[in-house]
Each structure stands twice: as C-alpha cells, then as structure tokens.
C-alpha cells in the first residue's frame, strides 16, 4: 500500500526548487545587459533635468530672500513665452496636417485644457509654501509617482513588473532620508498658517503634474514633440498672462528692477525653457514615471547648492539619500516594461506622415506585400516539407 509523502519531503523539494531557480538567475545575470549605454544616457539626461530644476529653485530663492520678489506667474510667463516664440512659430511654418490651424481644429480644446493643467500645477505648488512647511511639500510632492503609475497603466496601457514597484519604494526611502536630514539640521522651514490647505495644494499640484506628464508622454511618442511644446506654450502663455494680471499686478509693480534681478529672472526663464524643451526627449527614451524618479534628486542638488550659497548645515544623510534614489532609479530602468499589445504593427508619427504622406503610403504597401509573401512561403514549406517515416 502506497504511503503519502510527508510534509518534510514537500518542504525539501520546494526548497531545492527555489534554490535551483535562484542559481539559474545568478548564472543568467549579466551586468552588460543591465548597465547599457541607453541606461547611462537616460540617467545622465535625467540628472541634467534635475540640475535645471535646481537652477530654477536657486534663482527663485535669491529673488525671494535678497530682493523680496514673489511673482511665480511672471516667472512662469517667461518660460511659456519662450516656448511660444520658438515652437509655436515652428508650427506656423508647417504645411498640411501639421499646421497650427489644422491642429487647433482637430484637438485645440485638448491642448487648452492641458495648458491650464500645467499652469495651475506650477502655481499650486508655489502657493503651498505660504501655508505649509518645506517637509510637507517634499513628502507630499512624491504623490506624483503613484498617480503617474496609475494613469500610465490606464491611459498608456503600461504594464509594470514587481521590480518596478520595488524600485519606486527604494526611491521613496531615499526621499525619506532627505526629509530626515532636513529635520535634523533644522531646515523644517515654511509657514504653518494653514497646514491642511497647504498640503491639499501640494497633492493637487502632484495630481496635475501627473496628468500633464502622461499627456506629454503620449503626445511625444505618438504625435510630435514640437506640437506638444508649441500648443502648450501658446495656451499657457495666454492663461498665465491673464492670471498674472488678476493675481500679481500689485507684486509686479513693487519690483525694484536692477541688473541682478534681471539676471535672476533670465536664469529662471532659461532653466525652465531648457527643462521643458528637453523633458520630452527624455520621456521618449524612457517614460514619465522614470523621468519623475530622476527628478527626486533635484531637491538634493538644491540643498548642496544651499550649503555654499545659503549656509545650510551639511548632513551625511543627504549623500545616503542621493545614493538610494539613484539605486532605485537604476533598478527601475534596468528592467524594461512589457510593451502594450497593439493592433497596429508600427506606429507612424504625425510629423512624418504630414511631411511625406506618399512615403508612408508606400511603406504600408511594402509591409502588406512582405506579409503576403511570408505567408505564401510558410504555406509552401508546410506543403513541400519533408515527410516522416512510419
């Protein structure tokens, strides 16, 4: 009579299977496949974006502390105006479906909403500093990451693996170390007049940023970078001008203009303009979530600059935070996300289809012919294939 195997036998078998799988993973691990040139380029460009945000933060702090200038809408208007002059002009020079008039007819209202979202995201986070502390802003601003992942899964059909969630948690641990260093060094600055309102503004700003970034990723990967920047620059310039006249006209008239103030305004505008111009390029290489993970180091760069410029106290936790965030970022980008299933074989960007419609049509015909030839060859192989002996 056969006896049932014991629980110890099952445990030994499962342990052996797990250990064998782990050994196979170690054997298959290849550093050259993970630490690629693409990862290094994505990391370098992401940290370049973080350095640009650091430049905007330092110039804004100089304007606020040394010259008592608090005009976030005026500063944003400089950036949007540069985008409008550059990229909207490029759309005006286009012909065919890529022309600005055709874009306005087809999806102008969408870009109007997107411009409103982008303007209010920038305004809400600046306004939050008047009601809550720096620590709250730094912590709650990370809310953009989970919102981005949810929207990417829903809108862009992005499938994340377990390693991506682990990498995000590692990055958030790095942010926690940075906030802890701020508390230990006594940098928990900011107002506490209405913490609930301030925290709500930060969460609102993070949500709006997530919406803007997902729309940006979709546009640059399916349409064109010039179209996104040109249309957002156009509508955001109009919206920020109206909002500045309504909310900041008194603050603007109080500015004591000098060459230092002009240089700081120019530095802020150029940093923001470069940031907006380069971010779509990095998003096309990776994703909106990856870009925002790399931007978590922007606060650290600002802190390092503040040690020399504003006499901040140094803490070793800042370096720990930087290393942890970079480890999380590398882990996130080392494993690619599975490509979403699509009915179309190769997406054709609007930019290429507008410029060379005949070429794109010829390409489609060539693909159809190649598919037909491949199918006929497969059928011929099946019919004329070698016979098996019984």
């Amino acid at each position: 009579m056969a006896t049932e195997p014991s629980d110890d036998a099952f445990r030994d078998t499962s342990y052996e299977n797990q250990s064998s799988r782990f050994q196979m993973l170690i054997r298959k691990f290849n550093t050259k496949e993970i630490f690629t040139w693409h990862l290094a380029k994505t990391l370098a460009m992401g940290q370049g974006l973080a350095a640009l945000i650091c430049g905007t933060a330092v110039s804004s702090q100089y304007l606020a502390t040394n010259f008592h200038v608090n005009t976030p809408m005026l500063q944003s208007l400089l950036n949007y105006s540069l985008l409008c002059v550059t990229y909207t002009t490029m759309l005006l020079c286009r012909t065919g479906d890529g022309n600005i008039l055709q874009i306005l007819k087809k999806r102008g209202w969408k870009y109007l909403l997107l411009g409103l979202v982008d303007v209010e995201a920038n305004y809400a986070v600046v306004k939050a500093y008047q009601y809550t502390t720096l620590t709250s802003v730094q912590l709650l601003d990370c809310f953009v990451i989970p919102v981005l992942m949810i929207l990417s899964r829903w809108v862009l059909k992005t499938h994340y693996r377990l390693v991506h969630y682990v990498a995000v948690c590692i990055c958030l641990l790095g942010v926690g170390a940075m906030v802890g260093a701020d508390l230990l060094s006594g940098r928990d600055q900011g107002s506490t007049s209405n913490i609930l309102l301030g925290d709500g503004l930060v969460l609102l700003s993070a949500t709006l940023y997530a919406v803007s970034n997902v729309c940006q990723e979709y546009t640059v990967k399916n349409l064109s970078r010039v179209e996104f920047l040109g249309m957002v620059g156009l509508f955001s310039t109009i919206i920020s001008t109206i909002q500045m006249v309504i909310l900041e006209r008194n603050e603007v008239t109080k500015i004591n203009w000098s060459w230092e103030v002009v240089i700081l305004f120019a530095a802020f505008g150029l940093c923001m303009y470069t940031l907006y111009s380069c971010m779509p390029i990095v998003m096309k290489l990776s994703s909106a979530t990856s870009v925002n993970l790399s931007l978590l180091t922007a606060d650290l760069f600002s802190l390092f600059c503040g040690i020399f410029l504003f006499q901040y106290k140094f803490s070793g936790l800042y370096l720990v935070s930087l290393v942890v965030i970079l480890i999380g970022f590398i882990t996130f980008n080392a494993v690619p996300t599975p490509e979403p299933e699509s009915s179309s074989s190769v997406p054709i960007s609007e930019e290429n289809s507008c410029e060379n419609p005949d070429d794109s049509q010829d390409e489609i015909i060539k693909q159809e012919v190649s598919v037909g030839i491949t199918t006929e060859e497969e059928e011929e192989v099946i019919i004329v294939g070698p016979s098996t002996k019984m």
Side-chain angles (χ1 to χ4, degrees), residues 241-255:
T241 300
I242 296 172
Q243 195 162 331
M244 183 196 69
V245 172
I246 296 174
L247 300 177
E248 293 183 357
R249 59 181 182 273
N250 294 329
E251 292 291 334
V252 173
T253 56
K254 294 179 182 177
I255 298 177

Side-chain angles (χ1 to χ4, degrees), residues 117-364:
V117 165
D118 197 78
V119 170
E120 300 310 324
N122 289 323
Y123 183 74
V125 70
V126 174
K127 197 69 176 176
Y129 284 98
Q130 300 180 11
Y131 303 103
T132 190
T133 61
L134 174 66
T135 302
S136 296
V137 173
Q138 289 174 330
L139 282 175
L140 296 176
D141 195 44
C142 298
F143 184 66
V144 68
I145 305 296
V147 177
L148 259 177
M149 298 184 77
I150 294 172
L151 291 177
S152 297
R153 180 68 181 88
W154 178 41
V155 178
L156 304 176
K157 309 302 179 184
T158 304
H159 298 279
Y160 294 103
R161 296 173 177 170
L162 178 61
V163 65
H164 297 120
Y165 296 103
V166 173
V168 169
C169 293
I170 293 173
C171 290
L172 295 181
L173 285 176
V175 175
M178 176 183 64
V179 172
D182 284 344
L183 293 174
L184 291 175
S185 61
R187 286 196 64 248
D188 190 20
Q189 301 172 352
S191 173
T192 57
S193 59
N194 195 337
I195 294 179
L196 185 62
L197 176 59
D199 293 348
L201 288 173
V202 178
L203 294 177
L204 174 63
S205 173
T207 304
L208 294 176
Y209 272 129
V211 173
S212 176
N213 288 340
V214 168
C215 294
Q216 182 175 357
E217 181 180 353
Y218 176 84
T219 305
V220 299
K221 288 185 177 180
N222 294 276
L223 298 174
S224 74
R225 164 178 168 266
V226 175
E227 177 178 328
F228 174 82
L229 294 174
M231 298 306 295
V232 170
L234 173 63
F235 287 112
S236 297
T237 299
I238 298 172
I239 295 170
S240 57
T241 300
I242 296 172
Q243 195 162 331
M244 183 196 69
V245 172
I246 296 174
L247 300 177
E248 293 183 357
R249 59 181 182 273
N250 294 329
E251 292 291 334
V252 173
T253 56
K254 294 179 182 177
I255 298 177
N256 294 321
W257 293 99
S258 62
W259 66 269
E260 294 98 335
V261 174
V262 172
I263 290 177
L264 290 172
F265 267 103
F268 179 91
L270 289 175
C271 286
M272 284 293 289
Y273 171 75
T274 309
L275 174 68
Y276 271 69
S277 299
C278 296
M279 186 176 289
I281 301 174
V282 186
M283 279 192 183
K284 199 165 186 177
L285 287 175
S286 53
S287 65
T289 305
S290 173
V291 170
N292 279 271
L293 288 176
S294 66
L295 294 183
L296 293 177
T297 58
D299 288 335
L300 286 167
F301 291 161
S302 300
L303 291 171
F304 293 146
C305 291
I307 292 172
F308 300 99
L309 300 177
F310 305 109
Q311 288 73 49
Y312 292 163
K313 293 182 180 179
F314 176 77
S315 174
L317 282 177
Y318 291 143
L319 295 178
V320 173
S321 175
L322 178 62
V323 172
V324 171
I325 292 175
L326 291 179
I327 290 174
F329 176 79
I330 293 173
T331 304
F332 186 92
N333 287 276
V335 179
T337 56
E339 292 293 333
E341 296 181 358
S342 176
S343 57
S344 60
S345 57
V346 180
I348 300 174
S349 66
E350 181 186 338
E351 193 171 358
N352 294 333
S353 64
C354 293
E355 293 177 357
N356 301 308
D358 296 334
D359 294 345
S360 61
Q361 186 68 25
D362 293 341
E363 187 66 26
I364 294 173

